[in-house]
Amino acid sequence: MDKAKNNIENVGVFTTDKALKILSWNAVMEEMTGLSEKDVQNKSILSLFPEIEERNLHKKFENVINNGDVEILSSVLHKYLIKIPFPEEILGHQYMLQSVSIAPLFDESKIVGTIVTVKDVTKSRLNELINSYRERERKEKALSKAEVDELLKKLDHYDWKERKKAVETLKQSSSDILEDILVRIKQHHKNLNILNSAIQVLVGHREKIFDTLSHLLKSSDKDLRIYAAQTLGESKDMRAVPVLIEALDDPDKNVVYHAIESLGKLKAYEAVPRLIEIVLQNDFFTSFAAIDSLRNMGEKILLIHLDKLIENEFLQPICIEVIGEFGYDVNIPTLIEILKLNPETVFDLAEAIIKMMERYEKHYKEGNFIISSANKLLDTHTRQILINNLSKKNHPKFRYLVQLLTLLADQDELIHVFNLLKEPDLAKIILSNFIKRENKSAKLLIINLDKVTYEIKIELIKALGILVDKEAISVLLSFLDNEEEEILLASLYSLAMIGSAEAYEKIFSLLGHSSNAIRRAAIFALNSIGSPKMEDDILRLLFSENNFELDSAIRIAGYFGYPKCKDRIIELCDSENVKIRSLAIENICFFEAAHILSILDKASNDPSAECRIAAAKALAFVPENMSFKLAQKLLNDENSWVRINAIRTIGIQRFQNACKLILNFLEHEETVPVIITAIKVLPEICSEEAIPKLIELIKHENEDIVFATIETLSKIKHPSSLQALVENIYSPNPKIRKAILEALKSLKSENMVEIIKSYILSEEDLELKKLAVEVLANFQTESSCVSLFEISSERELKEFVIESLARQDKKLLHVFREILKGNKSELKISAIEALTLMKTEAATGLIIDSLDDESPMVRLYALNALRILNFHKAVDKIHYLAMNDVNPEVKILAEDLLKKIHGF
Amino acid sequence: MDFKTTLQIYGINTSNFTLIRDLIHSRSGIYFEDGKLDILAEKVSQRLVENNLTNFLDYYYKLKYDNDYQEWLELIKLITINETYFYREFDHIKLLVEHIIPEYFKSNNFIPLKIWSAACSTREEPLSIAMAINEKNLFEKYPIKIFASDINSDNVEHAKKGVFRERSFRVLPLDLKEKYFTPVDKNYKISNDLLERVEFFIKNLFEFDKYDFLYMSDVIFIRNALIYFSDQSIIKLINYLYDKMPENSYLIIGVSESLLKYKTKFELIEINNTFVYKKVRRQ
């Protein structure tokens, strides 16, 4: 070939004969590889570049030679043909990216070899990336003065779509338009369109506009002050807090209202004392906003003041909501008090109690305690209010009332609730809560079976099983004659749950049912009921000519390992029916038979893949020394599911040398699910020797493989596997970040604390942030606990971090003690809130200690916490505070608590 | 049956289920919201059992990497199975009687409103429509015609008898069941008055010439049927419908279906949280 000709466009070209020995090799190839034509001539391409075969790319050559096809390898999919490493990784690529074509080389009409072109496309791929970046930059900066003017004019367009378009473009432009925007606000602030659009643009440039807005907050024009207060709340800029607190003294109520709202959005804890003051002024307009803001902050101190507000009819609903969201059982009397004052609040009350119950269940597993507390406090009059409201089905919170009554009604009251079973949506709520009651019987459900829709009837039948009430057996048995599959299934399930022996014969007769689902449900029921005669019955069934019966009988015989059935199962391993044969093979391992291995060996040559899969599965339960070779053989089966099951068996058996075997296997396996199975089995059979391969696989282009690798790395508990995970924690792909965090949850490593902490601070996705907090909380070490306290000041995470702190081990309580001794009130309050959730005696002791704290806020929190804890040990201290505290709020709350003590 | 019960019976491990939901969504456009995951899992678990698998992850890999077109077809058939029952996806019918019919008769006093329930299978849909209209006494007030068709002649014969099994009453309120049906053996027969409100035809949706007046209906229901057609056929069908249907008419498809990817000329509108397609007059 003419070398000069081949150099066109810098394409590497080489030719091979049919044995893949190199015939020619152009200069570009020489340059790319550093190998001269002389070096390579007459050598096989496969021996020069062994990874071609490892990556199965030699099959492409074979296809070209055998079929005359042209094969194309793309730089996106295959990356490269000839592995040429870069001096350093470039944009995630270690090797030159190539676009390759392999075409047949003809001599007249005969194929004599291949002609291969290799084009280095790394540069063009890089250029693509760089160009897209530049394009983005260009878009950001390219607005000309004229364009900006045009867009600013559009802020006053009559069509909101046009305004929106302009706003969006201006948001993306550079920030030197801010001045123009401000001028426009000054000129046109009476025009709401311009004002709104302009403010949106300003918010888009939020870093630059804080000064402007705080200036506007002092303008003489109240509209401007309102908009400034509102916008600062949206800005997420904490510098706004002091100016907004100042605005709480604004002469205009609307400005105050928006300042309150914005402080709530910013979760400005510094503003809490002022907001509480506003709450207590009892002016509906501002009190309501202040309560709402404090609620947004999760500010539990609000609870102390609710009793003073409940007489204000307009504030009642929001007070009830606050109690529901973070109140304690001690607040239930307040709820009932409001109900007596205003029966209209019945639905809000129901919602609050249900939410409180869910919260208690989540934190303390004490949901029932809330229900029984409420039950004790409701008198005949208030109970009647609840029942009477069962007629108001269209109320948006009706479901809470139904839920509450289902949980706490007595038997007579329950009849009113059960009348609602006709309504499908309510019926589901009623049933799911009814089974949670302490006092429940099947009778009420049975009499309603004919009064409900078909779908609810099925739910009722299942609920009968969950109640495990023998009274239900006869009605369930009668349903076994029903023609509807779903009713039959539900009845079988419930009979299994109740474990009724009298159902045995009838269920047994269903083992030959034509529906797979019903047969499986019957097997499930029989396995749970059992019967002394079942072994003989099953043996008889194993000779049935009905394949459905046979199928069921093999499954049950295998489940119990009935010795009498062994010989027949062995016979069935030769059945002509593939389904029966494979099922028998899969179950044979549950019997003690000397020649199991020869049966499985034979099965490994079965023409049906189903039988070979069964053999691979069964092998997991055959004594180890006998089965290794067979497992190796099945590992090379042509069917991927046989290979998958062979790998799993190797994992269960943990054969000697299994690690090496699977690592080698991974070098040439190409089917994704098989690769994944092999990766997942590694922790069972390997220790750190698997890590280099896993580090390679974590960069794999297939996400499923990457996820499996991450999971496996977390299971091989070794410093370098940990490091491999941590190195990828900043992956641009959030799914990978999530998978890594999930994996790290199971690990504890002291030196990861700082890494996770800084990750939490830099991650933008709130869900991932929370996941990382969980990781940190799981470490349960001194430094992780301290770090949790440090991030508890992250406003959006506060609630979640406190819950995590509450789950810290009791051996870490000294960290809490240190925090409470420190000088940061905010951290101390977090500690008290977490200790309150812990509810242990030692935790309560720490809270009692902080009654002496110098900050009145901390003392208030501690007192409030004691309202739901055992505070008898603190009586003297509380007494002291009630008499002497300089802070009036602390005094009042202490007096309240004392009243409660005297009540005892 | 709910899926937890089913899985317990089948001994299936529940984790990783959402992967399958997302795969079905990306490949077929059918999306099961979190609230409906139970229904999907219950159905998918049937395929696991048929494939002798015991966890969803294996089935996910099988669907994603085995290139087993047959399995994919079986799954789609199962999850879209035309399980019709009275008052299924009732929000659409509610919208019809509370909004569409009154709106229509604001401007048309004498011209009957024509409703076509296409691909109606065993007729629960058109009969539910008739029932809901009757419940609001609209037959007495307005001239309304209900047409129904299905390609399967068995379905049509079955429906003409008006006898239904218990599972057709999955969600129908009990008082309506008692009002319109009488028990016959283990089944239920619908009242003749209601049956006569619906005119039945055997018809293939793509034989455009046959009973062509149906395409000119004011409200057309084609719910949970599009999944059986190729993209090309769907485009052909909706374009034909758009040409034939009168202005301000409504096309109603299943709640888990969407026409968005076909770039239809119908406008997607939302009324009371329910989505329908409307042929709106072009400016």
Side-chain angles (χ1 to χ4, degrees):
Chain A
M1 286 239 171
D2 182 345
K3 270 196 184 176
K5 210 173 162 189
N6 287 341
N7 282 351
I8 298 168
E9 288 181 324
N10 269 350
V11 178
V13 181
F14 66 91
T15 53
T16 72
D17 65 8
K18 277 169 96 172
L20 301 187
K21 275 190 191 150
I22 293 169
L23 302 173
S24 71
W25 187 256
N26 80 344
V28 178
M29 284 311 299
E30 288 180 343
E31 200 185 322
M32 275 183 191
T33 59
L35 298 172
S36 70
E37 188 167 27
K38 245 189 216 162
D39 294 337
V40 299
Q41 225 157 21
N42 278 326
K43 287 187 185 149
S44 155
I45 185 87
L46 301 183
S47 64
L48 283 165
F49 303 100
E51 67 278 0
I52 293 181
E53 201 164 0
E54 281 160 20
R55 293 167 64 220
N56 256 332
L57 295 177
H58 64 291
K59 290 193 176 154
K60 307 272 176 194
F61 283 90
E62 283 168 14
N63 184 35
V64 172
I65 291 166
N66 297 334
N67 305 317
D69 294 338
V70 176
E71 288 276 6
I72 306 287
L73 309 184
S74 93
S75 62
V76 180
L77 199 65
H78 300 94
K79 311 272 190 229
Y80 54 84
L81 172 70
I82 311 279
K83 191 168 170 180
I84 300 168
F86 293 140
E88 57 185 302
E89 195 179 292
I90 300 171
L91 289 171
H93 296 290
Q94 287 172 288
Y95 305 106
M96 177 197 285
L97 296 171
Q98 298 161 353
S99 164
V100 177
S101 80
I102 310 168
L105 184 63
F106 287 100
D107 185 5
E108 293 180 351
S109 63
K110 242 172 66 189
I111 297 174
V112 293
T114 68
I115 172 161
V116 184
T117 61
V118 181
K119 192 172 171 190
D120 174 5
V121 294
T122 314
K123 270 190 200 149
S124 59
R125 287 287 300 282
L126 280 175
N127 281 341
E128 266 171 41
L129 285 169
I130 291 165
N131 284 340
S132 74
Y133 175 77
R134 287 205 181 123
E135 174 73 5
R136 222 169 46 224
E137 273 213 320
R138 195 182 56 76
K139 264 192 195 159
E140 272 182 13
K141 285 190 179 157
L143 291 179
S144 69
K145 184 86 181 78
E147 281 169 323
V148 171
D149 281 347
E150 192 55 36
L151 284 166
L152 288 173
K153 263 185 220 154
K154 279 203 176 154
L155 294 183
D156 189 24
H157 203 280
Y158 64 92
D159 180 351
W160 68 270
K161 284 183 193 152
E162 287 296 320
R163 291 202 303 275
K164 190 164 188 251
K165 234 193 274 169
V167 165
E168 288 309 317
T169 319
L170 287 168
K171 267 186 185 175
Q172 281 163 17
S173 67
S174 69
S175 58
D176 26 300
I177 51 150
L178 278 180
E179 217 181 291
D180 274 344
I181 300 262
L182 290 175
V183 171
R184 246 154 243 269
I185 291 182
K186 279 181 196 148
Q187 290 167 346
H188 292 277
H189 67 260
K190 294 276 184 209
N191 180 327
L192 281 187
N193 281 348
I194 290 194
L195 213 48
N196 271 328
S197 311
I199 284 177
Q200 282 180 51
V201 175
L202 291 174
V203 169
H205 291 281
R206 64 168 182 260
E207 285 87 27
K208 307 267 167 65
I209 58 155
F210 168 73
D211 293 335
T212 321
L213 286 173
S214 40
H215 189 243
L216 285 181
L217 202 51
K218 291 184 179 125
S219 148
S220 58
D221 185 318
K222 76 174 169 48
D223 286 339
L224 271 183
R225 298 205 303 280
I226 290 173
Y227 280 105
Q230 202 178 1
T231 315
L232 283 167
E234 303 291 341
S235 73
K236 291 185 182 169
D237 186 338
M238 294 314 288
R239 289 177 297 170
V241 173
V243 282
L244 284 168
I245 291 180
E246 249 177 77
L248 294 176
D249 294 320
D250 196 286
D252 187 278
K253 247 189 201 176
N254 289 301
V255 178
V256 178
Y257 178 91
H258 286 290
I260 296 172
E261 218 180 31
S262 290
L263 285 164
K265 281 184 188 157
L266 292 169
K267 293 194 189 276
Y269 296 105
E270 303 87 321
V272 171
R274 283 287 285 122
L275 290 175
I276 296 270
E277 261 174 46
I278 293 173
V279 167
L280 294 174
Q281 283 162 5
N282 216 343
D283 170 326
F284 168 67
F285 190 59
T286 49
S287 282
F288 185 92
I291 296 177
D292 199 38
S293 280
L294 288 163
R295 182 177 68 167
N296 275 340
M297 295 185 207
E299 194 47 67
K300 299 184 182 57
I301 212 75
L302 194 52
L303 292 166
I304 302 170
H305 305 287
L306 290 182
D307 289 350
K308 296 166 203 125
L309 305 172
I310 58 170
E311 279 177 22
N312 183 335
E313 198 182 328
F314 298 108
L315 294 179
Q316 282 165 354
I318 192 163
C319 287
I320 298 175
E321 273 180 44
V322 169
I323 293 177
E325 267 173 49
F326 37 78
Y328 305 113
D329 56 295
V330 289
N331 300 113
I332 298 177
T334 310
L335 289 178
I336 293 174
E337 207 49 45
I338 301 176
L339 180 67
K340 281 180 189 164
L341 286 170
N342 179 4
E344 298 279 301
T345 60
V346 61
F347 293 104
D348 301 312
L349 165 125
E351 183 189 21
I353 295 180
I354 292 300
K355 288 195 167 162
M356 194 187 287
M357 174 199 80
E358 288 167 351
R359 203 155 29 82
Y360 266 59
E361 187 62 32
K362 182 179 158 203
H363 294 318
Y364 314 125
K365 296 266 166 271
E366 281 179 8
N368 276 340
F369 171 67
I370 294 301
I371 295 301
S372 64
S373 304
N375 213 354
K376 276 181 215 147
L377 288 164
L378 287 164
D379 57 16
T380 329
H381 169 60
T382 41
R383 297 184 86 91
Q384 201 52 50
I385 298 176
L386 297 182
I387 302 282
N388 289 347
N389 277 285
L390 280 177
S391 57
K392 295 183 184 163
K393 283 183 215 163
N394 291 328
H395 194 284
K397 293 182 180 175
F398 187 70
R399 59 172 293 251
Y400 293 109
L401 181 65
V402 172
Q403 195 176 351
L404 182 65
L405 274 168
T406 312
L407 287 166
L408 58 66
D410 62 31
Q411 292 299 320
D412 292 341
E413 291 165 339
L414 261 184
I415 293 170
H416 297 288
V417 180
F418 269 60
N419 282 338
L420 296 167
L421 278 177
K422 294 196 280 279
E423 316 269 336
D425 291 340
L426 295 173
K428 284 180 188 159
I429 297 170
I430 294 170
L431 288 176
S432 61
N433 285 285
F434 179 73
I435 55 179
K436 286 186 205 152
R437 278 173 66 100
E438 282 172 8
N439 176 5
K440 59 202 169 205
S441 84
K443 209 174 275 166
L444 210 48
L445 297 183
I446 294 170
I447 55 173
N448 277 289
L449 275 167
D450 288 331
K451 299 178 187 165
V452 293
T453 62
Y454 174 79
E455 204 162 66
I456 299 307
K457 188 173 181 173
I458 293 164
E459 296 294 326
L460 273 176
I461 295 173
K462 275 190 321 202
L464 286 173
I466 296 167
L467 295 188
V468 197
D469 188 336
K470 297 244 177 223
E471 210 169 328
I473 293 176
S474 62
V475 66
L476 289 173
L477 277 173
S478 73
F479 284 134
L480 293 188
D481 296 325
N482 199 294
E483 284 174 14
E484 297 296 347
E485 184 166 300
E486 284 167 297
I487 290 187
L488 204 50
L489 280 174
S491 308
L492 281 167
Y493 173 78
S494 287
L495 284 165
M497 291 292 114
I498 301 173
S500 105
E502 53 266 61
Y504 174 78
E505 300 291 345
K506 219 162 181 182
I507 298 176
F508 198 91
S509 69
L510 291 170
L511 289 179
H513 200 283
S514 58
S515 149
N516 200 344
I518 289 177
R519 289 201 306 280
R520 296 294 280 269
I523 294 171
F524 174 75
L526 287 177
N527 287 354
S528 87
I529 294 168
S531 162
K533 57 197 281 279
M534 191 139 86
E535 184 167 2
D536 292 327
D537 288 344
I538 289 296
L539 179 60
R540 212 176 45 251
L541 212 61
L542 281 172
F543 288 90
S544 166
E545 284 181 5
N546 172 336
N547 281 337
F548 293 141
E549 286 185 340
L550 260 182
D551 177 289
S552 302
I554 298 171
R555 288 177 197 276
I556 295 177
Y559 181 85
F560 288 106
Y562 287 138
K564 286 184 192 169
C565 300
K566 182 183 75 185
D567 293 340
R568 179 58 184 155
I569 298 281
I570 291 175
E571 279 170 28
L572 290 171
C573 288
D574 288 321
S575 165
E576 277 178 16
N577 180 304
V578 173
K579 291 247 174 254
I580 298 299
R581 189 163 80 237
S582 62
L583 194 60
I585 294 168
E586 195 176 330
N587 280 280
I588 192 67
C589 58
F590 302 119
F591 299 88
E592 281 181 28
H595 50 296
I596 285 188
L597 205 61
S598 61
I599 295 171
L600 296 183
D601 193 22
K602 185 174 167 200
S604 72
N605 295 320
D606 199 295
S608 149
E610 240 175 293
C611 294
R612 302 202 301 281
I613 291 170
K617 282 186 185 171
L619 207 53
F621 304 97
V622 174
E624 180 211 337
N625 49 3
M626 300 157 66
S627 47
F628 184 54
K629 274 207 174 135
L630 193 49
Q632 258 180 308
K633 175 179 168 191
L634 290 164
L635 203 53
N636 292 313
D637 197 282
E638 60 175 29
N639 179 291
S640 58
W641 288 92
V642 177
R643 299 203 293 283
I644 285 174
N645 284 290
I647 295 168
R648 285 184 183 153
T649 287
I650 289 168
I652 294 170
Q653 294 275 21
R654 300 179 182 206
F655 299 116
Q656 230 179 351
N657 291 332
C659 178
K660 210 172 156 196
L661 177 71
I662 297 295
L663 285 176
N664 280 339
F665 175 82
L666 270 172
E667 291 300 322
H668 57 78
E669 177 61 49
E670 285 197 326
T671 312
V672 175
V674 185
I675 296 175
I676 289 171
T677 312
I679 293 171
K680 285 192 169 181
V681 90
L682 289 174
E684 304 298 326
I685 52 177
C686 295
S687 47
E688 67 259 36
E689 63 266 43
I691 294 172
K693 183 71 199 168
L694 291 168
I695 289 174
E696 187 188 319
L697 287 165
I698 204 170
K699 302 264 184 221
H700 201 281
E701 62 196 9
N702 180 299
E703 267 186 6
D704 288 323
I705 292 181
V706 174
F707 296 146
T709 308
I710 290 171
E711 194 186 319
T712 293
L713 276 168
S714 76
K715 286 183 179 163
I716 298 183
K717 295 190 167 114
H718 187 272
S720 44
S721 66
L722 200 64
Q723 197 185 339
L725 289 174
V726 170
E727 273 170 11
N728 287 283
I729 204 171
Y730 290 102
S731 156
N733 180 344
K735 281 201 236 162
I736 292 180
R737 297 205 297 280
K738 185 175 177 203
I740 290 182
L741 290 171
E742 291 284 359
L744 291 175
K745 260 161 78 176
S746 63
L747 297 173
K748 288 177 188 176
S749 169
E750 191 63 29
N751 47 22
M752 264 171 38
V753 171
E754 282 305 314
I755 296 170
I756 301 295
K757 197 175 97 187
S758 41
Y759 171 81
I760 293 171
L761 299 175
S762 64
E763 174 60 80
E764 282 180 1
D765 181 322
L766 185 60
E767 284 315 302
L768 293 180
K769 258 180 192 287
K770 286 185 175 176
L771 196 53
V773 170
E774 276 183 63
V775 172
L776 203 53
N778 279 352
F779 290 166
Q780 302 268 3
T781 65
E782 209 170 274
S783 62
S784 66
C785 188
V786 172
S787 296
L788 282 175
F789 273 111
E790 283 166 0
I791 51 171
S792 73
S793 49
E794 282 275 291
R795 287 154 207 263
E796 52 184 358
L797 284 176
K798 190 172 179 178
E799 199 74 16
F800 193 74
V801 174
I802 287 172
E803 282 173 22
S804 307
L805 278 168
R807 286 194 297 270
Q808 294 296 291
D809 195 281
K810 61 175 184 289
K811 71 174 196 292
L812 291 170
L813 272 186
H814 65 279
V815 178
F816 287 72
R817 189 177 299 119
E818 289 306 316
I819 295 286
L820 289 169
K821 273 191 208 155
N823 54 9
K824 290 187 180 154
S825 300
E826 207 180 318
L827 296 194
K828 289 187 201 180
I829 290 169
S830 297
I832 292 173
E833 289 198 33
L835 290 166
T836 315
L837 288 174
M838 280 184 193
K839 234 183 170 187
T840 62
E841 202 175 322
T844 309
L846 288 180
I847 295 175
I848 292 173
D849 288 346
S850 45
L851 289 176
D852 302 330
D853 197 279
E854 57 191 21
S855 150
M857 208 61 184
V858 173
R859 297 200 296 281
L860 257 185
Y861 263 90
L863 276 174
N864 186 44
L866 287 175
R867 302 209 307 168
I868 62 151
L869 300 169
N870 181 357
F871 52 75
H872 288 89
K873 282 184 187 160
V875 174
D876 289 346
K877 280 193 182 180
I878 298 172
H879 213 274
Y880 178 83
L881 294 176
M883 304 295 288
N884 305 312
D885 204 290
V886 287
N887 181 299
E889 282 181 79
V890 175
K891 243 177 133 165
I892 293 169
L893 186 57
E895 281 166 13
D896 264 8
L897 269 174
L898 282 180
K899 275 184 216 153
K900 200 173 167 190
I901 296 169
H902 294 309
F904 281 94
Chain B
M1 289 290 278
D2 75 317
F3 90 109
K4 278 191 188 131
T5 317
T6 315
L7 300 191
Q8 210 178 333
I9 291 173
Y10 296 158
I12 293 173
N13 181 336
T14 56
S15 56
N16 297 303
F17 182 69
T18 46
L19 285 175
I20 295 187
R21 181 256 306 261
D22 297 342
L23 186 67
I24 292 173
H25 183 215
S26 70
R27 286 201 185 169
S28 71
I30 306 170
Y31 187 70
F32 284 78
E33 295 154 17
D34 284 354
K36 287 185 173 173
L37 270 185
D38 280 18
I39 301 170
L40 178 67
E42 199 273 328
K43 295 197 166 186
V44 173
S45 61
Q46 292 178 35
R47 292 310 309 157
L48 259 72
V49 170
E50 292 299 333
N51 283 285
N52 205 15
L53 297 174
T54 51
N55 68 71
F56 285 119
L57 199 55
D58 278 357
Y59 189 63
Y60 165 75
Y61 293 141
K62 188 173 175 59
L63 287 178
K64 191 166 173 185
Y65 296 107
D66 270 12
N67 292 327
D68 185 345
Y69 182 65
Q70 199 53 39
E71 181 55 42
W72 186 249
L73 222 58
E74 291 291 335
L75 175 68
I76 293 297
K77 248 188 346 206
L78 194 66
I79 57 181
T80 56
I81 194 159
N82 220 346
E83 192 188 13
T84 88
Y85 45 85
F86 291 105
Y87 276 31
R88 182 183 186 192
E89 296 178 5
F90 184 64
D91 286 349
H92 287 143
I93 298 177
K94 201 168 159 211
L95 189 75
L96 173 77
V97 295
E98 289 180 1
H99 180 90
I100 298 176
I101 296 179
E103 181 197 72
Y104 176 87
F105 285 106
K106 268 183 202 162
S107 48
N108 297 292
N109 281 330
F110 307 107
I111 308 166
L113 172 83
K114 294 175 286 298
I115 302 166
W116 175 26
S117 161
C120 72
S121 180
T122 42
R123 312 273 159 105
E124 283 85 344
E125 179 176 270
L127 291 167
S128 297
I129 293 171
M131 221 182 290
I133 292 176
N134 199 46
E135 282 300 295
K136 293 268 178 195
N137 298 322
L138 296 177
F139 283 128
E140 291 163 18
K141 272 178 149 170
Y142 305 122
I144 299 173
K145 279 180 178 275
I146 305 175
F147 307 121
S149 70
D150 197 77
I151 189 168
N152 184 333
S153 54
D154 285 355
N155 283 342
V156 175
E157 284 315 306
H158 169 92
K160 274 186 180 163
K161 289 182 198 140
V163 175
F164 297 89
R165 290 175 68 178
E166 199 172 350
R167 72 160 62 136
S168 294
F169 301 94
R170 188 170 282 275
V171 298
L172 187 69
L174 232 58
D175 49 344
L176 294 186
K177 185 177 170 190
E178 279 160 18
K179 182 171 171 184
Y180 293 104
F181 296 85
T182 36
V184 180
D185 297 326
K186 284 179 180 171
N187 300 322
Y188 299 84
K189 186 171 181 344
I190 196 163
S191 82
N192 279 335
D193 286 350
L194 208 62
L195 196 62
E196 283 164 9
R197 289 282 180 193
V198 182
E199 226 174 303
F200 296 111
F201 305 91
I202 299 170
K203 171 169 170 53
N204 177 343
L205 281 178
F206 295 92
E207 286 172 12
F208 295 125
D209 294 343
K210 194 171 171 187
Y211 306 122
D212 57 350
F213 62 91
L214 290 173
Y215 298 96
M216 294 160 215
S217 301
D218 302 289
V219 186
I220 299 181
F221 285 80
I222 309 184
R223 299 191 300 175
N224 306 305
L226 295 179
I227 195 69
Y228 298 104
F229 311 137
S230 69
D231 284 358
Q232 251 178 334
S233 314
I234 294 174
I235 293 168
K236 197 167 150 195
L237 177 65
I238 52 177
N239 285 343
Y240 190 78
L241 285 172
Y242 189 87
D243 288 345
K244 293 287 167 186
M245 286 174 77
E247 262 163 27
N248 294 321
S249 55
Y250 290 90
L251 172 65
I252 300 178
I253 63 169
V255 289
S256 56
E257 296 171 319
S258 163
L259 295 182
L260 285 184
K261 74 169 176 177
Y262 305 110
K263 299 201 174 70
T264 166
K265 283 185 254 173
F266 284 102
E267 198 159 300
L268 178 64
I269 58 167
E270 186 199 344
I271 308 168
N272 304 335
N273 291 326
T274 306
F275 289 91
V276 288
Y277 291 86
K278 189 172 184 180
K279 177 172 172 178
V280 187
R281 179 201 286 271
R282 298 275 156 197
Q283 297 288 329

